[in-house]
DNA sequence: CTGAAAGCGCTAACAT
DNA sequence: ATGTTAGCGCTTTCAG
């Protein structure tokens, strides 16, 4: 029993005894049997991640972070894919009945929701009703579900626009993400704000909306490149769409970055596999995955009164502007 | 007890009783508590996948298949990344001590090894010693570890070369994968064999070796495109390298597919996100993931004498040649 | 501050 | 063909 107390850092144990036990634990490489723990205590030591993002690469990076954190704190990670996450499109229907079953507190201690499922109002409602501890990744705080891990999307896009403008660009364009992505909306806000703050204008014809895949980036770019007053810099709200911009430019024999600057968002693998390599905002996905698990766990400890520290509900991690070959000085400003 | 027998399809139960129990199970949506099961029986109901492939996208597809299969048969999937799987390079050292710990039969019932870690002799030796049931993905059968899921890499590459030749190409080139990938070596063999069988020759200068990333594909392609007698068709052993070939051709203003045909392997997302889209061999990664779990489970059942059917040790799944815009008729053959 | 007793849900082994 | 007993390793509760 005293061993149990030491392992769980719960209850009072004499300092000396605790140390003696710690030593023994290290010696035998003892690790609690998670099954027995689950059987006995009320907790399940399982965390669920539900994802419906068709961009598996993106989700996989988060996943790796979650895996690591879970192992460190002795949790199991369950992964549930909903919707057609193998296809190329997004926004496919979610089976709420199935999800409701999964969210049974007798099977999991908490849930992590990455985008875009973390923006789904109906799902959030279910989570709230079932009172399942929940951490959302990206977006803004939502009703009754405060736990969240993100980067500052507004600031990141603001900084990117600043960079474009510092390179002499005045005619900027943006390809927004799908409407239901709150994170993407914030990027748009940040981008616009910088333009406004520099006394420039973002004309409505310079605003396109894609759906985060390469094809849509290509199509939006065609529209933009066809404009009489063609923009000299395009910000696509993720790297896949930015890759589509690149291919559209190549089709039209527009040289990058000499005639057109392009930037993406995420620093996904594709950012470095296209040519030229993409200027982008790096999002620390792996760290975000780790943090989300840690945040969830400390919250679970808190509501079980196993911890006295208050849990910070909003974790903002650092992003980073990566300038690569797809962007440069504005051609018009050159002379 | 009788319920347990029904659930596990083990021992003799009267038909009528079994059906009655089945109905009750469905009614209550009963699902066995995996923790209790583990605590009681000898088995852990956990399968481990160890991966060290830096191409997370590739591994993620497998993973999704494994997840699904695991849920269906009531297993947990543990995922362990070793090596620097976040970086862009491969072949980094594996921590054998750590792996040896993970392979403890008291913690897992079996292990699944995707490439390239499934080609590691020392690891296979450890697996054999510890007598952990093991399924390998890709490659050829190995000493004492017979369970394997794959496609026929030789035949696939053979078919691809056939296709090139049927389009009139006679001067073919190949970019091989790293030496330790057995699957990649088989692709080389198949490609060469087809060329030979058609009475053509694969000149040594038309053989390059990359390391499966875009950059190396680009570099190998530069070598090939610099040749006096430039090849008209290049087969890169995966899609990432093929994307590199594309960019090298674009740098040299060589039009695709008019002047050069390019093909990759895998049908990874990048195959459809580059421009022009890549001709490639589709590998059913998700199905391979599912099969690997199912194969492992039936083997585990067999060695525990819970099943009388003999387990097929080699599962070969179907590949598919996908012809897209990056390849076409040989320019020389046109007139 | 430490320990003893009971029980979580399941299965192996042993009855019947 | 079905039921009974015991125990897996842990935590909760209650006693010292």
């Amino acid at each position: 029993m005293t061993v149990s107390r030491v392992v769980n850092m719960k209850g009072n144990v004499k300092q000396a005894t605790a140390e003696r036990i710690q030593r023994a634990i290290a010696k035998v490489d003892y690790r609690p049997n998670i099954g027995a723990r689950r059987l006995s205590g009320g907790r399940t030591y399982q965390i669920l991640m539900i994802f419906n993002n068709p961009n598996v690469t993106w989700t996989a990076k988060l996943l790796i972070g979650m895996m690591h954190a879970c192992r460190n704190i002795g949790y199991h990670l369950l992964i549930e894919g909903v919707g057609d996450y193998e296809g190329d499109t997004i926004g496919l229907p979610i089976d709420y009945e199935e999800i409701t079953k999964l969210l049974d507190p007798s099977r999991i201690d908490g849930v992590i929701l990455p985008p875009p499922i973390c923006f789904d109002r109906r799902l959030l409602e279910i989570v709230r009703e079932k009172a399942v501890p929940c951490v959302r990744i990206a977006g803004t705080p939502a009703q009754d579900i405060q736990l969240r891990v993100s980067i500052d999307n507004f600031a990141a896009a603001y900084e990117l626009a600043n960079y474009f403008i510092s390179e002499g660009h005045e005619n900027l364009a943006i390809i927004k993400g799908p409407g239901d992505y709150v994170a993407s909306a914030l990027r748009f806000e940040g981008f616009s704000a910088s333009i406004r703050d520099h006394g420039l204008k973002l004309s409505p014809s310079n605003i396109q909306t894609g759906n985060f895949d390469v094809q849509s980036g290509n199509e939006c770019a065609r529209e933009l490149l066809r404009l009489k007053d063609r923009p000299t810099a395009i910000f696509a709200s993720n790297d896949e769409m930015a890759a589509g911009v690149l291919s559209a430019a190549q089709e039209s024999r527009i040289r990058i970055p000499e005639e057109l600057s392009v930037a993406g968002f995420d620093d996904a693998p594709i950012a470095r596999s296209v040519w030229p390599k993409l200027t982008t905002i790096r999002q620390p996905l792996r760290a975000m995955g780790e943090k989300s698990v840690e945040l969830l766990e400390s919250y679970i400890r808190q509501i079980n009164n196993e911890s006295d520290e208050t849990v910070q509900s909003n974790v903002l991690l650092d992003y980073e502007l990566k300038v690569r070959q797809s962007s440069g000085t504005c051609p018009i400003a050159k002379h």
Side-chain angles (χ1 to χ4, degrees), chain A:
Chain A
M1 191 53 234
T2 302
V3 172
S4 172
R5 274 190 268 261
V6 171
V7 169
N8 296 294
M9 302 181 294
K10 208 165 142 186
N12 298 325
V13 181
K14 209 194 331 179
Q15 183 68 22
T17 324
E19 275 165 16
R20 197 158 45 91
I21 291 175
Q22 298 278 21
R23 243 175 292 129
I25 285 178
K27 194 170 175 186
V28 206
D29 189 27
Y30 165 86
R31 311 235 213 132
N33 179 318
I34 197 169
R37 225 181 207 181
R38 187 178 313 176
L39 201 52
S40 161
R43 283 169 53 192
T44 66
Y45 295 90
Q46 298 199 129
I47 286 177
L48 173 68
M49 172 182 76
I50 307 178
F51 75 100
N52 67 337
N53 194 321
N55 189 334
V56 176
T57 312
W58 198 91
T59 310
K61 289 259 176 174
L62 281 178
L63 182 58
I64 287 175
M66 294 181 195
M67 275 164 35
H68 274 250
C70 276
R71 177 144 23 92
N72 285 341
I73 62 176
Y75 265 69
H76 274 331
L77 182 64
L78 302 185
I79 308 159
E80 198 67 28
V82 300
D84 180 19
Y85 45 86
E86 272 226 310
D88 293 308
T89 49
I90 50 179
L92 285 158
I94 296 165
D95 184 340
Y96 291 98
E97 261 194 63
E98 201 187 312
I99 288 195
T100 307
K101 268 190 200 165
L102 293 172
L103 286 176
D104 184 353
S106 74
R107 311 202 86 85
I108 56 161
D109 290 344
V111 65
I112 297 179
L113 303 177
I117 205 170
C118 62
F119 304 127
D120 186 283
R121 298 208 164 273
R122 184 152 158 214
L123 175 62
L124 294 182
E125 185 56 30
I126 296 175
V127 168
R128 205 185 52 74
E129 262 176 25
K130 292 218 161 196
V132 183
C134 173
V135 168
R136 297 181 319 128
I137 292 176
T140 46
Q143 8 81 288
D144 292 318
I145 299 178
Q146 298 299 339
L147 265 37
R148 174 175 154 258
V149 172
S150 185
I151 61 165
D152 188 337
N153 283 283
F154 182 96
Y158 192 96
E159 184 173 329
L160 181 63
N162 282 356
Y163 157 72
F164 274 155
I165 294 167
S166 77
E167 290 285 359
H169 296 276
E170 301 193 334
N171 187 359
L172 310 182
I174 182 169
I175 302 176
K176 297 166 65 173
D180 49 342
Y181 280 75
V182 177
S184 165
L186 292 172
R187 288 171 206 169
F188 173 69
E189 296 301 335
F191 195 75
S192 319
S194 162
I195 292 174
R196 208 182 313 115
D197 293 352
H198 282 86
L200 299 170
K201 283 218 138 176
L202 179 60
S203 110
S205 57
N206 281 16
I207 302 172
Q208 291 283 332
T209 302
N211 68 5
F212 276 164
D213 67 18
V214 177
Q215 182 59 28
S216 74
N218 181 291
E219 286 160 10
C220 292
R222 284 184 195 184
E223 293 297 326
L224 294 172
L225 298 177
R226 183 182 297 155
L227 291 173
K228 206 167 46 208
D229 192 15
R230 199 174 79 194
T232 62
I234 299 179
F235 165 43
S237 303
N238 77 346
D239 290 333
E240 275 72 18
M241 294 199 295
V245 176
L246 251 40
S247 66
Q250 275 155 10
E251 289 164 26
S252 305
R253 308 273 167 210
I254 294 172
R255 284 171 306 146
I256 293 174
E258 292 82 357
E259 299 174 86
L260 177 71
S261 283
V262 177
F265 203 104
D266 281 345
D267 198 17
I270 196 174
R272 269 160 297 170
S273 68
V274 291
W275 182 83
K277 294 180 183 168
L278 284 173
T279 290
T280 191
I281 300 280
R282 193 181 113 78
Q283 209 174 168
L285 292 177
R286 180 177 163 165
M288 287 164 71
E290 280 172 1
K291 259 292 165 222
S292 62
V293 168
E294 288 162 16
L295 180 58
L296 188 54
E297 197 258 354
S298 49
Y299 178 74
I300 292 167
R301 290 178 64 90
Q302 186 186 279
I303 59 175
N304 286 18
N305 300 315
E306 292 169 15
S307 157
D308 33 352
E309 15 164 357
T310 328
V311 174
Q312 167 195 21
S313 64
N314 250 286
V315 177
L316 274 192
L317 298 179
D318 291 335
Y319 60 87
E320 188 186 350
L321 173 62
K322 293 270 188 189
V323 176
R324 300 207 183 91
Q325 293 91 314
S326 71
S327 69
T329 308
C330 177
I332 299 161
K334 261 178 182 162
H335 47 234

